[in-house]
């Protein structure tokens, strides 16, 4: 059962606050961050009869863990619109080794929660999991990345795996189906979503920065504006409501040659 390395998990948490570097590896590495070399079930297994599947609700996607990534030479593209997503394959599970450590979106993994990991679903997502071997089903909240063994499509928390009777066999044939909960009108009015801008460059020469502003606006198909600060003019792109889109545009800006460009939260 492969997982993200601790460095990548730590990066995902910090991504909510700053810009870091990504490093990926499998859980088979001898990472001293974990007290256990191999994953195991709890020393004293508990009954999960009282634990119910999670109740799906609307949640905005997290800032961390939703960026496309590459692991062991293979690229993974995070699904932007998971509505109607279904998948069949094998489920595995992860437990005590990762208990208390960070998930890919910066939360803390609790093996007694009804959670799971998936390679490409946006975080968090709600998924109905059906064990095709015995017909048992439950709902989990996906907040992590993995598994990366061939044929495995979802890594279940210990509690979810116990609920579906996967612990004894280690793996099971499952079908997963994404559950979409739309944001209600009242939520839309009550929530104040952050907006982001990208600062590309600053210059005291207004005519030059205006020319650059027009060029980048046309090339990247984004809105641009200037912000006068003392005797300089800052070239800004945006605003953007979606953090993922902001990061995508930032990557394009840096590829063009503006390596010092950065994201600002409004």
């Amino acid at each position: 059962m492969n997982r993200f390395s601790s460095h990548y998990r730590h990066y995902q948490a910090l991504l909510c606050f700053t810009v870091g570097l990504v490093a990926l590896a499998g859980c088979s590495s001898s990472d001293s961050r974990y007290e256990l070399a191999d994953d195991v079930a709890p020393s004293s297994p508990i009954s999960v009869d009282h634990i119910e599947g999670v109740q799906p609700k609307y949640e905005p996607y997290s800032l961390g863990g939703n960026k496309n990534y590459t692991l062991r030479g293979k690229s993974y593209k995070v699904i932007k619109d998971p509505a109607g997503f279904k998948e069949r394959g094998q489920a595995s599970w992860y437990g005590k080794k990762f208990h208390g450590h960070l998930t890919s979106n910066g939360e803390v993994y609790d093996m007694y929660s009804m959670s799971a990991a998936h390679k490409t679903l946006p975080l968090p997502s709600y998924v109905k999991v059906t064990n095709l071997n015995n017909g048992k089903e439950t709902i989990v909240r996906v907040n992590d990345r993995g598994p990366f063994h061939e044929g495995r499509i979802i890594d279940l928390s210990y509690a979810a795996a116990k609920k579906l009777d996967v612990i004894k066999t280690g793996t099971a044939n499952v079908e997963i189906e994404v559950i979409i909960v739309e944001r209600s009108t009242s939520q839309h009015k009550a929530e104040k979503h952050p907006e982001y801008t990208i600062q590309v460059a600053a210059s005291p020469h207004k005519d030059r920065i205006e020319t650059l502003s027009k060029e980048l606006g046309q090339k990247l198909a984004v809105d641009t504006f200037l912000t006068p600060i003392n005797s300089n003019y800052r070239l800004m792109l945006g605003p953007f409501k979606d953090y993922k889109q902001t990061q995508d545009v930032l990557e394009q800006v840096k590829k063009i040659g503006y390596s010092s460009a950065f994201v600002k939260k409004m």
Side-chain angles (χ1 to χ4, degrees), residues 93-109:
W93 63 275
Y94 61 123
K96 191 173 180 180
K97 177 179 179 178
F98 305 97
H99 184 68
H101 293 277
L102 297 178
T103 63
S104 295
N105 71 342
E107 298 177 355
V108 175
Y109 173 61

Side-chain angles (χ1 to χ4, degrees), residues 170-215:
T171 60
N173 296 313
V174 298
E175 178 180 80
I176 64 175
E177 180 180 357
V178 169
I179 299 173
I180 300 294
V181 178
E182 300 292 344
R183 181 174 50 174
S184 67
T185 303
S186 59
Q187 285 177 313
H188 181 76
K189 291 180 179 179
E191 291 174 356
K192 182 180 179 182
H193 289 280
E195 291 188 337
Y196 309 90
T197 58
I198 297 174
Q199 181 172 322
V200 178
S203 171
H205 305 290
K206 186 178 181 181
D207 55 340
R208 297 180 185 176
I209 208 79
E210 284 180 337
T211 299
L212 178 60
S213 176
K214 292 178 181 178
E215 291 177 351

Side-chain angles (χ1 to χ4, degrees), residues 57-250:
K57 64 179 181 179
Y58 170 77
E59 286 189 71
Y61 295 140
S62 59
L63 298 184
N66 282 313
K67 192 174 183 180
N68 299 337
Y69 61 96
T70 299
L71 177 63
R72 296 172 182 171
K74 185 174 180 179
S75 296
Y76 297 90
K77 188 174 182 180
V78 176
I79 300 170
K80 291 184 177 180
D81 183 10
F85 179 88
K86 287 184 178 182
E87 190 177 18
R88 284 194 173 198
Q90 282 196 324
S92 49
W93 63 275
Y94 61 123
K96 191 173 180 180
K97 177 179 179 178
F98 305 97
H99 184 68
H101 293 277
L102 297 178
T103 63
S104 295
N105 71 342
E107 298 177 355
V108 175
Y109 173 61
D110 179 359
M111 63 181 172
Y112 299 116
S113 67
M114 297 294 286
S115 63
H118 190 274
K119 292 185 282 291
T120 56
L121 284 175
L123 308 180
S125 290
Y126 290 90
V127 173
K128 183 176 78 170
V129 184
T130 302
N131 186 337
L132 299 177
N133 296 339
N134 57 24
K136 293 183 177 181
E137 62 181 44
T138 193
I139 297 176
V140 297
R141 181 175 177 270
V142 177
N143 66 349
D144 209 354
R145 291 289 174 227
F148 296 101
H149 276 300
E150 189 67 30
R152 297 184 187 177
I153 62 171
I154 193 168
D155 239 352
L156 302 169
S157 66
Y158 167 78
K162 184 80 171 177
K163 200 79 173 176
L164 294 172
D165 204 16
V166 179
I167 299 296
K168 294 179 180 179
T169 56
T171 60
N173 296 313
V174 298
E175 178 180 80
I176 64 175
E177 180 180 357
V178 169
I179 299 173
I180 300 294
V181 178
E182 300 292 344
R183 181 174 50 174
S184 67
T185 303
S186 59
Q187 285 177 313
H188 181 76
K189 291 180 179 179
E191 291 174 356
K192 182 180 179 182
H193 289 280
E195 291 188 337
Y196 309 90
T197 58
I198 297 174
Q199 181 172 322
V200 178
S203 171
H205 305 290
K206 186 178 181 181
D207 55 340
R208 297 180 185 176
I209 208 79
E210 284 180 337
T211 299
L212 178 60
S213 176
K214 292 178 181 178
E215 291 177 351
L216 288 183
Q218 293 175 354
K219 189 168 188 176
L220 301 174
V222 298
D223 292 331
T224 65
F225 62 95
L226 302 183
T227 301
I229 301 293
N230 297 325
S231 59
N232 282 326
Y233 294 90
R234 293 178 179 175
L235 170 54
M236 313 295 294
L237 307 183
F240 307 96
K241 293 185 180 295
D242 181 75
Y243 186 78
K244 174 65 172 61
Q245 180 192 11
T246 310
Q247 287 295 318
D248 289 344
V249 173
L250 179 63

